[in-house]
Amino acid sequence: MRPPRARYFNTTGPCGPKHHYMLPPTQRIPQARELIDMDRYFVLHAPRQTGKTTALRTMASELTAEGDIAALMFSCERAKAAGDDVAWVESLLLDALREAATRSGWPEELLPPDSWPQVTPGSRFGAALSEWCRRCPRRVVLLLDEIDALQGNSMVSILSQLRDGHNARHEGRPFPTSVVLCGLRDLRDYKVASGGEPGRSNPASPFNIVAESLRLGDFTADEIGQLYGQHTQETGQEFTKDAVDRVFELTQGQPWLVNALAFEIIRQIGVTASITAGQVEEAKERLIRKRATHLDALVARLREPRVERVIEPILAGTWPGTDTSFDDDISYVHDLGLIRGPRELEIANPIYREVLLRVLGHRTERFVMADPHSFVLPDGRFDLPRLLEEFVVFWREHGEVLIQQEGYHEAACQIILMAFLHRLVNGGGYLDREYAAGTKRLDVLVRWPYTGPDGERLMQREAMELKVWRAGGDDPVPDGLAQLDRYLDRLTLDTGVLVVFDRRPQAPPWKERGEFEQATTPSGRQVTLLRA
């Protein structure tokens, strides 16, 4: 008899407890059961690859097993090809519904009818649901996955039919008692598509109550520990506390990243002993270099105008717009999972933060011809002063052209310097970056491991603060020195570098930029000031 197959950390498709390590899916959305018991229609949304489909599938199975509900989950994804063709969309959705019910293994009396009512396109989906509910001896709960696949008139038609059926239930029309719409988008997009307007009450719509839009959250640090603990319990291989803490710090609990790091360490790197924070760091670098499908899907969004309007001020540290359309853009980018929250204009986690700057700086990296090994001192430490001198030469020669070519124009200086650093530091060391909208700065920490004179492993740390002097603004050096002081306090370092890019029309000619000087911070630290 073949031994049971070992479970693993899943990074592709829905999870199943037989094959994958996983947390109880429905425990991540406890409010959903309460809403279903109240016969409510609601939205469940979250970025891609966070466990939505797994949660829906488990919820449908658990509800049906209780005996008084027929809960069916099916995907709307195939309807994307039909676009605005409402009749075709209805046929595709009903085919998907029937196939899902057939696969479920339900008894005959719970299954949808063999043929659907022949009615006018635009009302067929609702009529079919009514006919099924009329025949089914149980309450029907419908869970529509990938609802975002519906577009334009098709989205309006399907949501309007659900709204009409929802309202007619009280007049005796058989119809699903509860419907869950699951996708990327938050409630306001569905309100608009079903005839409502953002910010306005529409009593006729089942999608107008904000409390009925649930977001599937990321893992907490404790949940990551529980998930990794399943692997330890089954194999004996331990994740050290430092490793778990580092995973949470890098991912902020994003489910795909949490699983991908563990999979990379165990299956790709092949670590067999206890897993350490250093191996987590190595796995992070490998994931970013490979640009896995999940990361590539996010990167593809960066050139969308709505995304660029939100991400650019975060990179540049500037204040974003305040008009209503910008609020909509923020909600959209949050729904994609790129930022922490609609009120927190920060990139969602350090891995995404690094990926964004690397991708945006790819064009600049091609211009960097210096040999990374030439910046390593004889004792193994990194020569940051020499790197900055090389950057000045590079900036004078290429800066003006690169700024003009950079789509994220307001953040061009930060992107260019980060690309230069990444090309010469990564591979031997690490770059940690911190940036957010409104901070007017970008913080950089270079971490460079090397071997000390007695053979011990040491870590060199060099801190930098990046600021931009914009047209009409005051000289940012005084604020920059104070901010650098606070950054050095947090890192417990004695010195650092303040880089100020001059973007004013009256800035010195390019060939004269790149002057170094010594400066004193408010606390008395001696630091290097580079005016670029």
Side-chain angles (χ1 to χ4, degrees):
M1 183 176 177
R2 179 182 294 180
R5 191 167 60 174
R7 293 202 296 168
Y8 60 93
F9 291 97
N10 185 32
T11 59
T12 56
C15 294
K18 184 177 179 181
H19 301 300
H20 310 127
Y21 300 120
M22 57 184 290
L23 299 172
T26 52
Q27 289 184 16
R28 298 178 62 198
I29 41 171
Q31 313 96 310
R33 180 55 194 266
E34 181 181 350
L35 291 171
I36 289 172
D37 289 342
M38 294 168 62
D39 295 344
R40 302 299 290 270
Y41 286 27
F42 61 96
V43 170
L44 173 65
H45 74 105
R48 294 203 179 280
Q49 296 184 296
T50 52
K52 298 187 299 295
T53 300
T54 299
L56 290 180
R57 183 176 291 175
T58 304
M59 188 187 308
S61 177
E62 291 177 356
L63 288 168
T64 302
E66 292 177 4
D68 63 341
I69 292 176
L72 184 67
M73 188 275 281
F74 71 95
S75 174
C76 304
E77 190 166 15
R78 66 176 68 171
K80 186 172 185 176
D84 276 339
D85 189 331
V86 174
W88 188 12
V89 165
E90 289 179 313
S91 294
L92 291 172
L93 291 182
L94 292 174
D95 286 349
L97 185 153
R98 181 182 281 117
E99 290 171 16
T102 302
R103 288 195 306 269
S104 69
W106 286 354
E108 187 71 27
E109 67 268 17
L110 299 184
L111 294 176
D114 293 331
S115 60
W116 303 113
Q118 296 303 307
V119 296
T120 306
S123 58
R124 189 175 173 221
F125 185 69
L129 294 182
S130 288
E131 179 62 18
W132 177 27
C133 293
R134 186 182 66 79
R135 297 185 182 201
C136 186
R138 299 187 186 182
R139 295 164 53 211
V140 172
V141 172
L142 210 55
L143 302 95
L144 284 72
D145 197 14
E146 302 288 351
I147 188 70
D148 311 87
L150 303 184
Q151 303 170 32
N153 292 334
S154 298
M155 171 75 86
V156 173
S157 175
I158 296 301
L159 293 187
S160 296
Q161 291 179 65
L162 290 175
R163 179 189 61 202
D164 292 345
H166 167 273
N167 293 340
R169 292 179 310 166
H170 306 294
E171 300 166 4
R173 177 183 177 182
F175 211 71
T177 60
S178 182
V179 171
V180 184
L181 301 179
C182 185
L184 275 175
R185 289 181 279 177
D186 200 351
L187 184 86
R188 65 163 39 220
D189 297 279
Y190 302 112
K191 286 169 58 181
V192 173
S194 61
E197 295 181 33
R200 295 192 179 182
S201 176
N202 177 8
S205 172
F207 311 108
N208 80 320
I209 302 174
V210 174
E212 295 184 3
S213 180
L214 307 182
R215 181 180 172 92
L216 189 64
D218 294 327
F219 296 152
T220 65
D222 287 343
E223 286 172 334
I224 295 174
Q226 293 168 24
L227 180 68
Y228 287 0
Q230 295 177 20
H231 175 76
T232 301
Q233 187 174 4
E234 293 185 14
T235 67
Q237 184 179 30
E238 180 187 12
F239 287 81
T240 65
K241 184 179 184 307
D242 285 348
V244 175
D245 289 345
R246 185 59 177 156
V247 168
F248 180 68
E249 182 182 354
L250 290 172
T251 68
Q252 292 300 294
Q254 204 287 331
W256 186 88
L257 292 175
V258 170
N259 278 277
L261 286 173
F263 184 86
E264 190 72 23
I265 293 167
I266 296 164
R267 294 297 184 98
Q268 302 300 319
I269 301 176
V271 175
T272 56
S274 293
I275 294 165
T276 65
Q279 288 153 349
V280 171
E281 198 78 43
E282 180 184 353
K284 177 207 75 171
E285 286 297 319
R286 289 167 61 105
L287 278 184
I288 292 174
R289 283 198 300 270
K290 287 196 297 189
R291 285 267 296 277
T293 303
H294 172 87
L295 298 177
D296 250 2
L298 289 176
V299 165
R301 303 278 190 173
L302 289 178
R303 297 302 177 184
E304 292 183 21
R306 297 178 72 182
V307 174
E308 188 170 330
R309 283 188 68 198
V310 175
I311 299 299
E312 185 174 43
I314 294 176
L315 292 174
T318 55
W319 290 108
T322 56
D323 57 281
T324 304
S325 65
F326 186 75
D327 291 341
D328 293 340
D329 293 341
I330 290 174
S331 295
Y332 175 69
V333 175
H334 179 230
D335 288 344
L336 293 177
L338 280 169
I339 60 175
R340 287 194 177 183
R343 297 182 182 278
E344 300 173 88
L345 290 188
E346 297 180 42
I347 302 301
N349 58 66
I351 291 180
Y352 288 179
R353 203 157 58 207
E354 186 155 343
V355 167
L356 298 192
L357 277 172
R358 286 196 194 184
V359 169
L360 293 173
H362 181 68
R363 182 189 295 114
T364 295
E365 279 195 54
R366 295 200 299 262
F367 286 83
V368 182
M369 300 301 175
D371 179 7
H373 296 96
S374 66
F375 298 95
V376 182
L377 295 166
D379 62 3
R381 292 181 302 115
F382 188 74
D383 192 347
L384 182 63
R386 178 156 179 246
L387 179 140
L388 292 174
E389 290 170 1
E390 286 284 339
F391 175 72
V392 167
V393 174
F394 177 85
W395 183 244
R396 288 171 174 170
E397 184 175 353
H398 302 292
E400 187 173 15
V401 172
L402 290 173
I403 284 177
Q404 291 170 353
Q405 292 178 348
E406 177 52 54
Y408 281 66
H409 191 69
E410 290 299 308
C413 297
Q414 294 91 327
I415 291 170
I416 292 167
L417 178 53
M418 287 300 94
F420 190 88
L421 287 171
H422 172 252
R423 173 72 179 82
L424 299 177
V425 172
N426 270 56
Y430 308 101
L431 288 175
D432 299 331
R433 309 158 172 95
E434 296 181 20
Y435 52 87
T439 60
K440 300 182 180 180
R441 70 181 191 277
L442 189 153
D443 298 332
V444 185
L445 176 65
V446 177
R447 293 184 292 125
W448 185 267
Y450 69 100
T451 302
D454 298 325
E456 71 276 29
R457 292 297 289 167
L458 301 173
M459 183 68 75
Q460 176 186 356
R461 297 186 303 152
E462 304 282 357
M464 302 172 63
E465 184 104 14
L466 279 58
K467 294 185 73 67
V468 177
W469 193 351
R470 303 186 187 279
D474 296 329
D475 186 345
V477 168
D479 283 346
L481 290 172
Q483 290 168 339
L484 179 58
D485 233 354
R486 292 192 291 271
Y487 189 40
L488 295 173
D489 282 342
R490 185 150 52 92
L491 298 172
T492 64
L493 291 176
D494 295 329
T495 190
V497 178
L498 173 62
V499 181
V500 176
F501 292 98
D502 196 338
R503 295 290 302 272
R504 299 171 304 151
Q506 66 268 38
W510 280 92
K511 296 300 182 182
E512 297 177 13
R513 300 189 192 187
E515 295 298 322
F516 290 94
E517 57 187 88
Q518 289 298 302
T520 304
T521 68
S523 72
R525 286 185 174 96
Q526 294 299 302
V527 298
T528 299
L529 171 62
L530 168 58
R531 291 185 179 272

